[in-house]
Amino acid sequence: MRVKVKDVMSTQVASVNGSSSFKDVAEVLIAHGVSAVPVVDGDGHVIGVVSEADLLHKEEFKEQYYREGYRPPLRTRLRHRLSQEGGDGRSKSRGDTAAELMTAPAVTTRPNASIVAAMRLMEEHGVKRLPVVDDEGVLEGIISRHDLLRVFVRSDAGIAEEVCEEILEHSLWAEPHDTAVTVTHGIVTLTGRMHRRSEAQLAARMTHRVHGVVDVIDKLEWNVDDLPAWRGR
């Protein structure tokens, strides 16, 4: 039930090195149809990430004033000078190589991390792609939002098979003929009978956690109510 980053990541990764020029980085982004690429050192360690936004800073903040003899007012020139001296984007506008343009340190994840953890990292840092590195920080792959979404677009048959085999039979040791699982558009319906009420409730909770499940309709019955009765005061 626990899909890991290594199960959905792409292992064919476009990357650049720190000395790659502005033009080379732009060409890699365009050629591979991606919005960002990892920057690696000579041993494959990820040292940063350079994105379309990093490259666009150069266009955004480039000098535009001294054309055709035009000289802007003093206040405008001072404001422009101050903007060049402050802010990460403004410093990147003067960068010419990947090392000067990249965002560092890179936000990365590990192959054995859960996809939920990867999703939270993306949300926390506002990124769409995460380099996947080993324990030494060497690039192994990359995972994108698109890769994560594929996990949730599962067939009803695949979901039903996982609930039956991994939850009911393997984890809860339910007899196949005692329970039934039907799935329609990701909505799982559990029917049949289990020995204990606690097992029936656990089956429903575990089914909710299966990737691709939209909702669970619990129609399971039980033979023994082993849950303590609630006593109000």
Side-chain angles (χ1 to χ4, degrees):
M1 291 191 300
R2 295 295 185 178
V3 179
K4 297 181 179 180
V5 166
K6 66 182 180 182
D7 299 324
V8 296
M9 72 180 188
S10 300
T11 55
Q12 300 298 320
V13 188
S15 64
V16 297
N17 58 54
S19 62
S20 297
S21 69
F22 180 102
K23 181 179 178 180
D24 288 341
V25 174
E27 288 178 345
V28 169
L29 293 177
I30 294 171
H32 292 271
V34 294
S35 59
V37 289
V39 183
V40 298
D41 64 15
D43 296 318
H45 299 97
V46 176
I47 59 175
V49 172
V50 63
S51 67
E52 291 173 331
D54 295 325
L55 299 186
L56 290 175
H57 283 305
K58 181 175 285 292
E59 180 66 22
E60 181 181 357
F61 293 105
K62 73 179 182 180
E63 181 63 61
Q64 298 178 350
Y65 291 136
Y66 304 108
R67 295 178 180 174
E68 300 178 356
Y70 171 71
R71 186 172 178 80
L74 176 60
R75 180 179 297 178
T76 303
R77 284 182 279 132
L78 288 175
R79 184 170 63 247
H80 181 66
R81 177 68 61 83
L82 289 173
S83 72
Q84 288 184 317
E85 294 174 355
D88 185 56
R90 294 168 179 82
S91 64
K92 288 181 180 180
S93 70
R94 298 189 293 273
D96 294 317
T97 65
E100 296 169 335
L101 294 161
M102 70 183 184
T103 298
V107 181
T108 62
T109 187
R110 300 291 181 86
N112 287 321
S114 70
I115 62 166
V116 174
M119 292 169 66
R120 289 175 177 171
L121 266 180
M122 289 184 184
E123 181 67 23
E124 179 182 352
H125 294 275
V127 296
K128 300 178 181 179
R129 303 164 66 84
L130 293 173
V132 184
V133 299
D134 64 13
D135 293 340
E136 303 299 324
V138 175
L139 182 66
E140 289 196 350
I142 199 158
I143 186 168
S144 67
R145 289 181 180 178
H146 179 75
D147 297 324
L148 296 176
L149 287 174
R150 285 187 304 167
V151 175
F152 298 97
V153 185
R154 301 182 62 188
S155 68
D156 289 342
I159 295 172
E161 181 180 4
E162 182 172 339
V163 173
C164 288
E165 296 182 0
E166 297 297 326
I167 297 177
L168 296 178
E169 296 178 19
H170 183 267
S171 298
L172 298 178
W173 295 358
E175 293 294 334
H177 59 272
D178 290 337
T179 58
V181 178
T182 57
V183 185
T184 305
H185 301 305
I187 300 176
V188 181
T189 301
L190 302 175
T191 56
R193 181 174 292 273
M194 302 190 74
H195 182 58
R196 295 182 176 85
R197 182 179 182 181
S198 61
E199 294 172 341
Q201 289 190 354
L202 182 58
R205 288 199 300 269
M206 294 177 71
T207 301
H208 266 292
R209 295 166 56 187
V210 172
H211 293 302
V213 170
V214 176
D215 197 5
V216 176
I217 300 174
D218 181 8
K219 295 184 178 181
L220 288 171
E221 299 178 344
W222 57 87
N223 296 324
V224 178
D225 188 350
D226 59 337
L227 297 178
W230 181 80
R231 295 180 180 180
R233 294 185 178 178

